[in-house]
Amino acid sequence: MDIDLDRARALRILGRGAMGTVFLVAEGPSALRPSRYALKVFDKRSAARSRKPDADRRARWEISVLSRLAHPHLPSLLGFTETDDLLAWAVPYCSGGDLNELRYSLPDRIFSPAAIRFYIAEIVSAVAELHAA
């Protein structure tokens, strides 16, 4: 499914990485996609200037992997679009942040043994799904 960049409205930046910027995006209600999602945007021009020859290939590989996933512990591809300058793909927005943020919010910055078992079980399940895809 294609993303209509003209209808997508960036609410804030969720993160920046080696392959682009991730935005929290709002879009009109759609039966096929939630109204808010995370949109990862890869700037092809920037990658070319920074001499990262494999960046485009890595971005396309990520889209390919996401398109094959259907597991409750892993993100799935909601859609993507490509222009001459950009490659953008949407995944569900997860508002909880990451495990490191969660750890820093804890009083002693330490997970309980029960929490550690829970998160390790989630990670093992997700890795097993990745290997099966």
Side-chain angles (χ1 to χ4, degrees):
M1 166 191 325
D2 288 337
I3 302 287
D4 184 354
L5 293 177
D6 292 328
R7 290 184 39 139
R9 183 172 46 96
L11 302 176
R12 66 183 170 101
I13 293 175
L14 296 173
R16 288 188 168 93
M19 290 196 8
T21 304
V22 181
F23 298 91
L24 174 60
V25 169
E27 189 175 292
S30 165
L32 300 174
R33 187 173 37 250
S35 62
R36 288 185 175 200
Y37 53 88
L39 184 68
K40 191 165 187 176
V41 179
F42 169 69
D43 183 347
K44 297 177 195 177
R45 297 165 302 178
S46 176
R49 285 191 303 267
S50 66
R51 296 187 186 103
K52 294 182 180 176
D54 68 333
D56 188 78
R57 180 187 55 79
R58 288 175 47 212
R60 292 176 193 285
W61 176 80
E62 184 173 327
I63 292 169
S64 171
V65 169
L66 288 169
S67 71
R68 292 179 290 180
L69 298 178
H71 189 275
H73 301 144
L74 296 171
S76 57
L77 184 69
L78 299 175
F80 71 95
T81 193
E82 184 171 9
T83 68
D84 290 340
D85 300 325
L86 301 173
L87 181 59
W89 59 102
V91 294
Y93 170 60
C94 300
S95 62
D98 60 37
L99 284 176
N100 203 37
E101 280 183 46
L102 178 59
R103 185 177 66 88
Y104 273 93
S105 72
L106 298 173
D108 293 330
R109 296 186 177 166
I110 298 172
F111 288 113
S112 70
I116 291 169
R117 281 191 296 277
F118 171 78
Y119 288 119
I120 289 189
E122 296 279 317
I123 292 167
V124 167
S125 175
V127 169
E129 175 65 19
L130 282 172
H131 283 285

